[in-house]
């Protein structure tokens, strides 16, 4: 009986680890190529990294799209048709997890508590005047995460820096 219970639990945990849920693994969550993802990469990726949509909550993406005419000092307005497509894209692929919620009053992924926690060592070093990398801006993910444009930010994988 005990062996059967252990085997069942092991199978359960193996299945749990293989579930492919975009919200469960945001580092691997860049959606497959589609007209909406191409629009997102073209419009947003022309100025900065087109972040994996699961790195922010849907409601925060919609706050961003509602203020594109004043997007961090630039007019990033798009046509009404493109805006509708982007909003649908973010409603489909944005996160629903609380940990990706933006900091109050901010529209920056780099200000989210999750991002701050993931980069705390680099931020602490920077705060005391030690440069650990040549990061120009916290939104410049490609400086440290070579496959950030594909949605891979796996800093636990040493090969990530060489890809």
């Amino acid at each position: 009986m005990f062996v059967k219970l252990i085997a069942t639990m092991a199978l359960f945990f193996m299945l749990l680890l293989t579930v492919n849920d975009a919200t469960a693994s945001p580092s691997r969550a860049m959606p497959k190529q589609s007209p909406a993802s191409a629009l997102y990469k073209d419009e947003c990726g022309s100025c900065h990294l087109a972040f994996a949509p699961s790195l922010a909550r849907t409601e925060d993406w919609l706050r961003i799209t509602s203020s594109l005419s004043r997007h961090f000092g630039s007019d990033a307005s798009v046509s009404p048709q493109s805006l509708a497509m982007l909003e649908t894209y973010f409603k489909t692929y944005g996160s629903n997890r609380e940990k990706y919620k933006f900091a109050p009053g901010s529209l920056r992924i780099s200000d989210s508590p999750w991002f701050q926690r993931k980069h705390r060592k680099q931020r602490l070093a920077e705060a005391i005047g030690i440069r650990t990398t040549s990061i120009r801006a916290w939104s410049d993910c490609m400086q440290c995460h070579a496959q950030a444009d594909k949605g891979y930010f796996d800093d636990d994988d040493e090969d990530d820096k060489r890809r």
Side-chain angles (χ1 to χ4, degrees):
M1 178 71 175
F2 182 71
V3 172
K4 196 175 198 180
L5 176 64
I6 298 296
T8 303
M9 288 176 61
L11 179 61
F12 171 75
F13 285 112
M14 286 173 39
L15 288 172
L16 190 62
L17 291 173
T18 60
V19 172
N20 187 10
D21 176 10
T23 61
S25 180
S27 63
R28 305 276 194 271
M30 209 57 170
K32 299 222 183 310
Q33 189 65 13
S34 70
S37 66
L39 173 68
Y40 172 56
K41 287 178 183 175
D42 288 346
E43 290 292 342
C44 303
S46 65
C47 294
H48 58 76
L49 177 72
F51 296 99
S54 64
L55 292 177
R57 290 175 50 92
T58 299
E59 65 193 46
D60 291 322
W61 284 118
L62 297 179
R63 284 178 41 222
I64 290 172
T65 60
S66 72
S67 60
L68 289 175
S69 63
R70 50 191 194 288
H71 187 66
F72 301 105
S74 297
D75 184 354
S77 298
V78 295
S79 71
Q81 297 84 0
S82 293
L83 180 60
M85 188 181 284
L86 288 171
E87 288 177 343
T88 299
Y89 178 74
F90 293 129
K91 287 175 184 175
T92 303
Y93 296 108
S95 177
N96 62 358
R97 295 179 71 186
E98 191 66 25
K99 77 181 214 173
Y100 297 113
K101 187 172 188 167
F102 286 179
S106 177
L107 292 178
R108 295 181 187 274
I109 287 176
S110 59
D111 286 342
S112 71
W114 165 83
F115 185 96
Q116 295 284 323
R117 188 178 66 256
K118 290 295 279 183
H119 297 87
R120 66 186 172 273
K121 291 177 187 171
Q122 294 87 347
R123 289 198 180 258
L124 178 61
E126 184 180 78
I128 61 173
I130 300 170
R131 298 292 291 176
T132 57
T133 63
S134 59
I135 298 172
R136 294 185 298 271
W138 285 106
S139 59
D140 190 10
C141 303
M142 297 289 290
Q143 288 283 271
C144 299
H145 306 283
Q147 292 197 49
D149 59 334
K150 296 180 181 96
Y152 293 98
F153 300 89
D154 198 354
D155 58 341
D156 295 329
D157 182 355
E158 283 302 313
D159 290 334
D160 184 57
K161 295 175 184 83
R162 292 180 282 233
R163 289 183 202 157

